[in-house]
Amino acid sequence: MSRFSNHDPDSSSSSSPSADDLDSDHGVGLSNPLLSQGRRRMLDLVNRLHNTGVQIDIDLPQIAVIGSQSAGKSSLIESISGISLPRAAGTCTRCPTECRLARSDAPWKCIVELRFITDKNGQTLGQARNESFGDPIFSKSEVEDRIRRAQRAILNPSKASRNFLDDDDEEVPEVSFSTNYISLQISGPEVADLSFVDLPGLIASVSRGGNERDIAMVESLVTSYICKPSCVILLTVACETDFENQGAHHLTKKYDPEGKRTIGVLTKPDRIPRGDEESWLPLIRNEQEVLENNWYCVKQPSSQDLKQGITWEEARSRENDFFSMTAPWSELDPMYQKYLRTTNLVDRLSSILSDLISKRLPQIQIELENTIQKTRTGLQQLPKPPSSDAVGEIATLLHVFVADLHKLLEGVPNAEGLLQVIRPAQERFRRDIRNTAPDFRPFKERWSPEAPTPFQEPQFLSNEDGYEDSAGQLPPTAKIPIYINEVMDRALAARTRELPGHYPFVVQKSFIVEFTAKWASPAQVLCRVVHTTLSQHVKALITHHFSSFGQGGLEQRVTILVQDYMNQRALATQDLISKLIALEEDGPLTLNEHYLADYKSKFMSYYKGAREKIQNPVLATAIEAYRPEQPLPTDPYGNQIPLTGIAQVLSSLASVGLSGVHAEDLVKLLSPDRMDPALNIMSDVRAYFQVAYKRIADNIPLAIDRELVRGVGRELLPALYSGLGMNGTDGVRICHELAQESPSVAGKREELLKRLERLETASRELVRVGL
């Protein structure tokens, strides 16, 4: 039996039907079938949208009843919906109770479900879990008890919900409040399509029956509803308590500061202390705490009335009598009388909610389309779902990866490409090898005053090596100079049975061995740098191809296998480098005799010229000043003036058949220098360095490129197949294990698919009604 009726559940009243009888000719409040067809169509649509669950993603119009503890919220819901909720002293609502009303031609029915959004430990679930709570209810008198039991099930999350359908043991609940909620799906001929929710009462302080955690939880729960712009807030304020002490009003002001979507409801006006009634009238006249939709005042049955089984008709009649005969309510101007009584409140609420729905529907359609597109984009950004052919899928991934790896190794036209990134290291290697050149000085010891400072290497080297400074000169190095007297001393010390003026080739060889011994270190450094850079690029490529596949196992396995393969190639490359260096260290050898002879001639001329600057400065200055490209001098009458100086000497030599002589070669015509043997050794060694250094500067990078860079791409695919075990007897099982999608990606995909299903279902509902 409902608290509003002592009659049979199927009985009816001609004027004000009971909560147990919605089969009469007139519904209650929003259930009134006399609402316009357009309004009902919109309410039907919003209710169907709620049924799709799209309110998780889109802000749908909804009524939320809030207030402090025992503020009369449950009575308001009964007036609005026509159903009875549990009632008790203090806090009786300890979890949200959502009501989904749906008009139907079938007999009245109520389905109770439990909606879990957190687990028993309070952790948020990825997807809400719905549980049916008992069989459908066909008698309204059973609803209150079922809701009470459902709330006990919500507040005891570690126990099976079905146990509470028949268990009458009122034990202490495991939690005081819960964000999990009860959902009532009510349908019948006189039920309007509407959704609203009754929220737990805000707790004023610990002394009022809660603790700090409960106070914060309830406030957070209420906030999660009323912060939404399409939530119509029914703010209940009990007149038996000072207005300023009611926290629900302050919370409402925070989220609806202009009062555009709040309807204030004063309850329990019969409990106002005598003489204080006038203090509440400014609210009804909207002179205090102004709300766009005004304040209302209602009087609901007392607990004693309910125990006596007051009917709905009697309740409304007593409410009418109270406001008609009790001052100061009865003395209000007629324009304010419409803000008194429950019927006026629910009629106004119907209009407000309908207007809100009418305004929101076009926006809802836009938000739906935008959210659908965003969800589809999110799905597209996820990796492809696992294929039923795991072996084929992994094989395809490996082939595509190896193909992209070959492109990387061959070179891509990008500043961040592998070959572009390792080129500076190759240039550093060439400079390091170039800097091992012996720094011969054609002068005596370093303290000799005749030695020029600084000593620059010859200009012809800058034209070939490309390391000249802004002045076109090779920069001086920090190498230890080797002076001509040191070379001569070594040559003299090496003589055995040679004829006078002859020196063994071992002298040149000793200098050559000294600089070739320095080549191993920069060569191995280059190998390590290329290996590190290559590893970084390959690792990034592996991540790009495999990171979103499976649970990361394939990426990890491929990374290990490729790193092992690269390490093998690096060892092979180091061995080849060692062999190439050993070839140079075993002794000098070249078949490029012309190249060697040309360099020896140039160095001999350069060293002798440098000595002649000191020993024969006049000739050295004339050679430096000579410019063969200058035209022959003429007198004022255009006659050529006879040649003089270096030009005359070269012309004379050409006349006797020595046309290939250059100005710098003239120093060779001077009388023998006692240091000529040392100059010959220096020229030999320096010429051979130019041959050997350019050879090694090419061969080492070539070896690294072939054995390490390109070598990684050779035979890698078979190595991956073998390493992964794809060709073995367990290949299918291994591939299935590797193809498993990671829980995070799978969960994200499931969440997006469910969201897309909700959104598309809601979108179809809008299309179906022509919106």
Side-chain angles (χ1 to χ4, degrees):
M1 275 286 195
S2 167
R3 65 171 63 97
F4 285 129
S5 177
N6 290 324
H7 306 301
D8 183 80
D10 293 329
S11 64
S12 61
S13 171
S14 60
S15 58
S16 298
S18 70
D20 281 336
D21 189 3
L22 296 180
D23 294 329
S24 62
D25 293 336
H26 300 283
V28 177
L30 294 178
S31 300
N32 193 338
L34 299 180
L35 293 173
S36 68
Q37 291 300 315
R39 178 181 297 180
R40 179 174 295 280
R41 185 168 66 92
M42 289 186 295
L43 295 177
D44 288 346
L45 174 59
V46 171
N47 193 63
R48 288 196 298 272
L49 292 179
H50 273 282
N51 287 337
T52 66
V54 79
Q55 65 269 25
I56 299 174
D57 315 290
I58 301 295
D59 179 20
L60 296 180
Q62 189 179 41
I63 299 172
V65 186
I66 74 167
S68 300
Q69 293 172 323
S70 303
K73 296 185 293 79
S74 297
S75 298
L76 265 182
I77 290 180
E78 291 165 352
S79 300
I80 295 171
S81 67
I83 65 170
S84 299
L85 298 177
R87 185 183 296 234
T91 301
C92 58
T93 303
R94 294 187 170 272
C95 68
T97 301
E98 180 187 60
C99 294
R100 292 186 178 183
L101 309 180
R103 182 182 178 186
S104 172
D105 294 333
W108 186 92
K109 179 175 66 173
C110 176
I111 297 175
V112 182
E113 291 185 347
L114 307 181
R115 303 286 173 85
F116 293 94
I117 59 176
T118 60
D119 60 18
K120 63 181 181 180
N121 298 318
Q123 298 295 318
T124 302
L125 298 173
Q127 187 72 21
R129 178 167 52 88
N130 302 332
E131 287 187 14
S132 295
F133 190 69
D135 297 329
I137 301 173
F138 297 97
S139 175
K140 303 178 188 66
S141 61
E142 299 177 10
V143 174
E144 181 180 353
D145 180 67
R146 183 71 62 85
I147 294 175
R148 193 186 305 275
R149 293 177 180 274
Q151 181 169 261
R152 288 175 53 213
I154 290 287
L155 298 178
N156 293 276
S158 66
K159 299 179 181 179
S161 302
R162 60 180 179 273
N163 295 341
F164 294 91
L165 285 168
D166 301 315
D167 187 3
D168 294 325
D169 185 12
E170 295 285 348
E171 59 185 15
V172 177
E174 297 174 7
V175 295
S176 302
F177 293 90
S178 177
T179 55
N180 297 325
Y181 59 94
I182 303 167
S183 178
L184 306 177
Q185 300 178 30
I186 301 172
S187 61
E190 300 300 330
V191 177
D193 291 289
L194 182 67
S195 291
F196 60 89
V197 62
D198 178 29
L199 301 176
L202 292 164
I203 306 172
S205 63
V206 175
S207 62
R208 295 294 299 274
N211 53 48
E212 294 294 342
R213 181 177 179 276
D214 290 344
I215 293 173
M217 177 180 287
V218 173
E219 182 173 332
S220 175
L221 177 62
V222 172
T223 297
S224 68
Y225 282 84
I226 68 173
C227 68
K228 298 178 180 179
S230 296
C231 178
V232 176
I233 306 172
L234 287 183
L235 171 62
T236 58
V237 175
C239 293
E240 62 180 343
T241 306
D242 289 342
F243 180 80
E244 295 299 330
N245 294 333
Q246 303 200 35
H249 169 251
H250 298 292
L251 191 62
T252 301
K253 288 280 288 184
K254 181 178 180 180
Y255 294 97
D256 184 26
E258 297 181 1
K260 291 184 177 296
R261 54 188 176 90
T262 301
I263 301 178
V265 183
L266 303 180
T267 64
K268 306 179 182 180
D270 53 328
R271 298 189 184 180
I272 301 175
R274 186 177 300 276
D276 291 344
E277 293 89 351
E278 290 286 345
S279 63
W280 295 94
L281 296 183
L283 291 172
I284 298 299
R285 290 194 290 260
N286 216 25
E287 298 170 349
Q288 177 184 346
E289 299 297 333
V290 178
L291 299 177
E292 186 172 299
N293 294 296
N294 253 85
W295 287 84
Y296 287 77
C297 186
V298 299
K299 180 185 179 302
Q300 304 299 341
S302 65
S303 300
Q304 187 63 32
D305 293 335
L306 296 175
K307 291 179 181 180
Q308 294 176 359
I310 186 174
T311 65
W312 189 279
E313 179 183 19
E314 291 172 340
R316 298 285 70 80
S317 177
R318 291 186 185 183
E319 181 186 39
N320 186 60
D321 292 342
F322 175 82
F323 287 116
S324 299
M325 297 183 293
T326 306
W329 311 103
S330 60
E331 299 171 355
L332 280 170
D333 292 341
M335 64 179 297
Y336 298 119
Q337 289 291 327
K338 63 182 178 181
Y339 300 123
L340 307 178
R341 301 173 181 81
T342 301
T343 53
N344 291 332
L345 169 65
V346 294
D347 285 343
R348 179 58 179 157
L349 185 60
S350 299
S351 176
I352 291 172
L353 185 61
S354 298
D355 290 344
L356 177 60
I357 293 172
S358 179
K359 293 177 182 178
R360 274 288 293 156
L361 282 180
Q363 299 171 359
I364 289 174
Q365 184 178 24
I366 295 174
E367 291 175 15
L368 272 175
E369 294 304 319
N370 291 340
T371 309
I372 287 174
Q373 184 59 43
K374 183 178 179 181
T375 305
R376 287 174 177 166
T377 301
L379 283 169
Q380 292 171 357
Q381 292 174 346
L382 291 177
K384 294 189 303 182
S387 170
S388 56
D389 180 14
V391 177
E393 187 171 17
I394 291 180
T396 300
L397 281 174
L398 294 177
H399 279 270
V400 173
F401 162 69
V402 172
D404 282 356
L405 177 62
H406 278 291
K407 293 179 183 178
L408 173 72
L409 302 180
E410 287 300 319
V412 294
N414 188 315
E416 301 300 322
L418 172 65
L419 301 187
Q420 288 85 340
V421 173
I422 65 176
R423 186 169 294 126
Q426 294 172 332
E427 292 296 329
R428 285 194 300 273
F429 166 73
R430 191 162 80 96
R431 286 196 296 270
D432 290 342
I433 297 297
R434 172 65 179 76
N435 287 334
T436 62
D439 185 14
F440 290 122
R441 303 289 179 93
F443 319 110
K444 297 179 181 179
E445 293 291 350
R446 66 193 68 183
W447 54 81
S448 173
E450 64 187 31
T453 303
F455 178 70
Q456 299 288 348
E457 290 204 345
Q459 180 66 32
F460 63 81
L461 290 183
S462 67
N463 297 332
E464 298 181 8
D465 293 346
Y467 297 127
E468 69 273 9
D469 59 16
S470 59
Q473 297 291 329
L474 283 170
T477 66
K479 294 178 294 184
I480 298 176
I482 305 173
Y483 293 93
I484 193 170
N485 52 308
E486 297 175 11
V487 177
M488 196 65 195
D489 290 344
R490 188 182 298 194
L492 292 172
R495 287 189 62 195
T496 55
R497 292 191 173 95
E498 287 80 9
L499 294 174
H502 293 271
Y503 298 92
F505 182 71
V506 70
V507 180
Q508 284 93 325
K509 185 176 181 180
S510 66
F511 283 112
I512 292 172
V513 170
E514 287 179 6
F515 66 70
T516 56
K518 301 175 183 178
W519 291 353
S521 177
Q524 295 296 349
V525 168
L526 175 63
C527 183
R528 288 194 296 270
V529 171
V530 173
H531 184 203
T532 300
T533 305
L534 177 62
S535 298
Q536 293 171 348
H537 280 72
V538 174
K539 179 63 172 65
L541 194 64
I542 292 173
T543 300
H544 172 72
H545 280 273
F546 302 105
S547 63
S548 58
F549 182 81
Q551 301 186 45
L554 182 59
E555 178 188 6
Q556 183 181 12
R557 293 281 299 279
V558 170
T559 299
I560 294 174
L561 292 172
V562 173
Q563 285 180 342
D564 182 63
Y565 192 74
M566 281 196 297
N567 289 337
Q568 296 176 26
R569 300 313 313 156
L571 290 174
T573 305
Q574 291 170 358
D575 290 341
L576 179 56
I577 289 173
S578 297
K579 291 178 181 178
L580 291 174
I581 298 297
L583 291 176
E584 299 294 339
E585 293 175 341
D586 285 345
L589 175 65
T590 181
L591 298 181
N592 196 346
E593 297 177 2
H594 174 76
Y595 194 47
L596 181 67
D598 182 62
Y599 265 118
K600 180 176 180 180
S601 176
K602 290 180 178 179
F603 274 109
M604 177 63 78
S605 296
Y606 179 71
Y607 289 145
K608 289 185 70 67
R611 287 183 61 77
E612 290 305 323
K613 285 183 180 180
I614 300 172
Q615 298 178 353
N616 195 342
V618 176
L619 176 61
T621 302
I623 291 175
E624 285 186 354
Y626 173 67
R627 295 292 181 270
E629 66 277 4
Q630 291 181 348
L632 295 175
T634 58
D635 60 18
Y637 302 99
N639 300 317
Q640 290 186 348
I641 299 176
L643 297 175
T644 58
I646 298 297
Q648 183 181 14
V649 172
L650 293 177
S651 178
S652 300
L653 289 174
S655 66
V656 294
L658 298 177
S659 58
V661 179
H662 300 284
E664 58 268 20
D665 294 330
L666 295 180
V667 294
K668 299 177 183 178
L669 303 178
L670 298 174
S671 59
D673 186 343
R674 67 183 185 88
M675 288 293 182
D676 277 352
L679 293 175
N680 182 69
I681 294 172
M682 293 161 56
S683 300
D684 268 344
V685 173
R686 203 59 184 80
Y688 182 78
F689 175 84
Q690 290 300 119
V691 174
Y693 120 79
K694 292 187 177 182
R695 180 170 62 204
I696 205 71
D698 282 337
N699 287 342
I700 296 299
L702 279 173
I704 294 174
D705 185 65
R706 185 185 189 282
E707 292 298 319
L708 180 55
V709 179
R710 295 177 185 267
V712 169
R714 288 194 298 270
E715 304 301 322
L716 177 60
L717 189 60
L720 291 176
Y721 268 81
S722 175
L724 292 173
M726 292 179 61
N727 297 329
T729 55
D730 291 337
V732 175
R733 177 186 60 79
I734 292 173
C735 289
H736 277 291
E737 290 178 355
L738 293 174
Q740 291 181 4
E741 195 168 38
S742 66
S744 60
V745 174
K748 183 66 173 178
R749 188 190 310 282
E750 182 181 8
E751 177 187 346
L752 290 174
L753 286 173
K754 288 182 178 180
R755 179 186 300 171
L756 185 61
E757 181 181 4
R758 291 193 303 266
L759 294 167
E760 290 181 338
T761 301
S763 181
R764 286 193 295 269
E765 289 291 344
L766 290 177
V767 172
R768 190 165 68 87
V769 297
L771 292 177

